[in-house]
Amino acid sequence: MNVKQIMQTDFLTFKEEDDISKIVGSLIKYKKRNAVVLDNEGSYLGIVSRKKLLGRKYINSKAKNVILKTPIVLEDLDLLTCAKLMHATGIRTLPIERKGKLVGLVKILDLLKELSLELEQAKNKVASLTLAKPGPLKKTDTIAKALAVMIKQK
């Protein structure tokens, strides 16, 4: 699975010269934790977080002064690699790009939820499946092994 499948495509964007008060108001109004900041040409600059903005006083400050610069990842990046990148950088939200255009955000909670589901699925045993065409599997084999056998037999 890759980040394209779990990314959020509904996100707020602001220009680098936008006032912090405007950003905070929109984050609260739309119940968002993060927003993307773009330059005047529409290129990605970074992310602003509601938590950071509410925790400090930014009087008459602009978005460009409070952004968190993050790596941009491609939509076909696998989930485990994305998790490793988030862990290594300490960043909890990453922008997703397709053909040079920002198309979504992946958040650590969504990523962990999906990885957890994948891990649970991998732990399930063949005994919990009903196979149309029995193969060389034992009831105690994992579903991951069953999938590998089915793909090989295909």
Side-chain angles (χ1 to χ4, degrees), residues 145-154:
K145 183 175 180 183
L147 290 172
V149 168
M150 287 187 277
I151 290 168
K152 189 175 181 182
Q153 289 179 351
K154 194 174 182 183

Side-chain angles (χ1 to χ4, degrees), residues 30-140:
Y30 295 106
K31 299 179 182 172
K32 299 288 185 180
R33 292 180 183 214
N34 301 292
V36 172
V37 178
L38 308 172
D39 66 14
N40 292 329
E41 287 78 43
S43 297
Y44 173 80
L45 290 176
I47 291 178
V48 292
S49 83
R50 183 178 65 190
K51 183 178 179 179
K52 179 180 179 183
L53 296 177
L54 291 176
R56 298 189 184 120
K57 297 195 186 254
Y58 293 101
I59 300 170
N60 299 324
S61 194
K62 305 288 183 190
K64 66 181 178 183
N65 300 327
V66 296
I67 59 172
L68 171 65
K69 295 183 188 260
T70 65
I72 300 172
V73 298
L74 299 177
E75 66 180 348
D76 61 350
L77 183 69
D78 68 275
L79 299 184
L80 189 55
T81 303
C82 186
K84 289 177 182 177
L85 177 61
M86 287 180 163
H87 176 71
T89 60
I91 295 170
R92 301 170 60 92
T93 302
L94 291 173
I96 310 300
E97 185 179 87
R98 177 189 312 134
K99 296 180 182 175
K101 183 179 178 193
L102 188 66
V103 293
L105 296 175
V106 64
K107 297 180 179 186
I108 195 161
L109 291 177
D110 297 329
L111 181 64
L112 292 174
K113 179 181 174 185
E114 191 59 42
L115 286 171
S116 171
L117 290 173
E118 284 186 13
L119 182 61
E120 279 302 309
Q121 185 180 27
K123 286 181 180 178
N124 286 335
K125 302 296 179 192
V126 172
S128 64
L129 293 177
T130 303
L131 299 175
K133 188 176 178 184
L137 297 169
K138 298 179 217 146
K139 288 186 178 188
T140 56

